[in-house]
Amino acid sequence: MAFPERFSNLPEYAFPRLRALLDPIPAGGTPIAMTIGEPRHPMPDFVGPVLAANLDGFAIYPPNDGTPELLVAIAGWVQRRYDVTLNPNQIMALNGTREGLFNAAVALCPETKGGKRPVILMPNPFYQVYAVAALAMGAEPVYVPATAATGHLPDYASLPRDILDRTALAYLCSPANPQGAVASTDYWADLLALAEKHDFQVLADECYAEIYRDTPPPGVLAVAKTIGADPERALTFHSLSKRSNLPGLRSGFVAGGVQSITRIRQLRAFAGAPLPLPIQKVSEAAWNDEAHVTASRALYVEKFALADRIFDGMQGYMPPQAGFFLWLPVQDGEEATVKLWRETGVRVLPGAYLSRDVGGDNPGAGYIRVALVAPKEETQRGLTLLRDCIYGQGR
C-alpha cells in the first residue's frame, strides 16, 4: 500500500515526544505540570447557564460560518479592542485557531508562485500546525530564526529575494509562543509593506493577545487600517481558549478581507465542521464580556511578577511581554527537562520540540518552555523548584 511522503519527515509531535522522554522516569516529587498551554483559571460563570439554555441547539445543524449574532459579537469585540470595523462577511467562526491556521493555507496558498514552488514562512520556534499546513499544500516551509538576536521575532526582510518572491504566506504569532515577544506597530507595518512588495499574505496568530502585563499588544488589522494596507493582505486568528479560559470549547475566529474569507468559507462548506449552536451561543456571550478577561489577566500579571522575583538576577532570563510562557535558557533543553522531572517532579517542555534544525542548528535546543497556567501557589512552588534545580539556589 502506498502512503504519501509529504509528512514523512515530520518529527513526533511535542507532547507524545515528551511522554516518551519522561514517562519511563519516576517523578522526583509531587508532579507539577508546566508543559501545555492549557489555562487553569476559572472559566466564566455564565458558561453553564448559557449552555443549558441552548441545549436544544444540538438537535439541528449549525450555520457554517457562525450565527449572525456570533459574528456581530465578534465584530463588536474587534471594534472595541482594535478600533477596526468589520462586516460579518469578513469573519468566520472557527473550531479554535488551529483549524483556521491550517485551513487558511489550504484555501489561500496557490499551487505555484511566479511559476515556482511556493514558500510559506514561519518563525523558528513556532506553533507546529504552520509546518503541517505548508507540507499539506506542497509548499516549501522556510523556518526563520526567532532568537534573542532578532528580538525573538523572525526577520523576514533579511531573507534572499528569490525566497521572498516565491513566498505565498507568512505566519507570525504575536504575542509569540513560546517566547512572549510582542510585534510592535512598526514591526507589523514593516511586515505588511514587505508582503505588499513581494505579494504575499500575512497570517497573524494572535490568540495570546489578551494576556499581557500592562499595554495591549498591537493587532495586525489595526496597523493595516492605519497604513492603508490592502484588506486582503492580512488575516487575524483569535481564540477563546486563552482569552476566556475555555480551551475545551474549541471556539475562535478568523477575520480579514472579503475575498480571503469567502475562500475559507467555501472550503469549510465542503470539508469543515461548524461549531454546534450551543457552543456558538456561549462564544457570543464570551466575546460580549470583558469582566472575566480582566480578572484572568490580573492573575497572570501576578504570576509574571512572581517569575520576575524568582529569577531576578539570573543571566539570560527574559521577562515575557505577554502570553503565559517562560522561555528559559539552559545548557541543553532535553537534559534540563529530564533532570527537573527526576529530581523535583516539575514537568516542562524542551524548546527543541517546538523548533526545527536548520543547517545543523536548532534555535530551541538551549531552552525550556514553562507554562504559567496553574494557580499562583502551585506556580510559585514549581518555579522555585525549577530555579533551585537547574540554576542553583540563592538567586
Side-chain angles (χ1 to χ4, degrees):
M1 182 177 292
F3 292 101
E5 291 295 317
R6 57 184 173 272
F7 302 122
S8 60
N9 290 327
L10 282 176
E12 188 76 20
Y13 195 68
F15 297 105
R17 192 174 173 186
L18 180 67
R19 290 192 290 272
L21 178 71
L22 295 185
D23 284 359
I25 304 170
T30 302
I32 300 177
M34 307 185 84
T35 53
I36 193 167
E38 181 179 62
R40 290 166 56 190
H41 293 174
M43 67 182 183
D45 56 12
F46 55 73
V47 171
V50 172
L51 190 62
N54 291 279
L55 286 178
D56 57 351
F58 284 120
I60 58 177
Y61 285 121
N64 186 61
D65 308 324
T67 64
E69 295 82 6
L70 175 55
L71 298 181
V72 167
I74 292 169
W77 178 77
V78 172
Q79 180 70 54
R80 294 189 301 274
R81 174 65 169 83
Y82 295 111
D83 192 27
V84 171
T85 300
L86 295 176
N87 296 317
N89 60 357
Q90 292 180 270
I91 307 166
M92 190 179 80
L94 298 173
N95 286 284
T97 52
R98 180 157 59 175
E99 176 217 2
L101 290 162
F102 179 86
N103 284 337
V106 178
L108 301 176
C109 183
E111 289 78 7
T112 61
K113 178 81 183 295
K116 300 178 181 179
R117 183 185 181 192
V119 161
I120 296 181
L121 305 179
M122 60 201 72
N124 195 20
F126 61 97
Y127 186 37
Q128 299 298 291
V129 72
Y130 307 162
V132 175
L135 295 174
M137 294 314 299
E140 178 185 352
V142 172
Y143 307 106
V144 183
T147 63
T150 61
H152 291 286
L153 295 169
D155 182 7
Y156 290 144
S158 68
L159 292 169
R161 180 171 179 172
D162 65 311
I163 294 291
L164 291 170
D165 285 343
R166 286 198 292 126
T167 297
L169 303 171
Y171 286 102
L172 195 285
C173 185
S174 175
N177 169 16
Q179 309 96 319
V182 170
S184 66
T185 296
D186 288 345
Y187 184 99
W188 281 124
D190 289 345
L191 180 55
L192 289 168
L194 189 71
E196 185 69 30
K197 179 179 179 181
H198 295 276
D199 191 26
F200 62 82
Q201 288 183 287
V202 175
L203 304 183
D205 181 355
E206 300 187 89
C207 71
Y208 296 93
E210 301 312 287
I211 302 171
Y212 52 84
R213 289 176 180 257
D214 45 30
T215 303
V220 70
L221 294 187
V223 177
K225 171 189 170 184
T226 299
I227 68 173
D230 182 342
E232 302 296 335
R233 194 56 66 193
L235 293 94
T236 184
F237 300 79
H238 285 268
S239 169
L240 293 174
S241 295
K242 278 68 177 177
R243 174 189 179 270
S244 298
N245 304 307
L246 290 169
L249 197 71
R250 309 312 307 143
S251 179
F253 73 87
V254 56
V258 173
Q259 294 180 48
S260 298
I261 297 301
T262 298
R263 290 177 178 274
I264 297 172
R265 284 181 168 189
Q266 183 184 32
L267 179 66
R268 160 73 76 74
F270 280 91
L275 286 168
L277 268 175
I279 301 301
Q280 295 199 40
K281 286 294 183 181
V282 173
S283 303
E284 176 190 337
W287 290 115
N288 280 329
D289 182 75
E290 286 297 321
H292 74 281
V293 183
T294 302
S296 181
R297 186 184 304 121
L299 297 177
Y300 282 116
V301 169
E302 290 181 7
K303 288 187 279 190
F304 288 151
L306 190 67
D308 291 347
R309 288 196 300 272
I310 290 172
F311 296 108
D312 181 41
M314 190 192 87
Q315 185 176 4
Y317 171 68
M318 181 188 70
Q321 294 174 266
F324 51 51
F325 296 116
L326 300 183
W327 188 236
L328 297 178
V330 292
Q331 198 72 19
D332 180 282
E334 277 195 337
E335 289 181 3
T337 297
V338 169
K339 174 180 172 66
L340 191 59
W341 175 249
R342 178 183 287 124
E343 296 183 12
T344 71
V346 175
R347 200 174 182 103
V348 299
L349 187 69
Y353 293 8
L354 301 169
S355 309
R356 289 290 190 277
D357 290 334
V358 178
D361 179 55
N362 187 313
Y367 290 88
I368 52 175
R369 192 187 76 171
V370 184
L372 305 179
V373 292
K376 183 178 177 181
E377 294 73 18
E378 185 177 343
T379 298
Q380 180 172 1
R381 178 170 169 266
L383 293 182
T384 302
L385 287 169
L386 188 158
R387 177 200 62 191
D388 294 348
C389 177
I390 302 299
Y391 303 106
Q393 299 183 20
R395 294 188 182 276

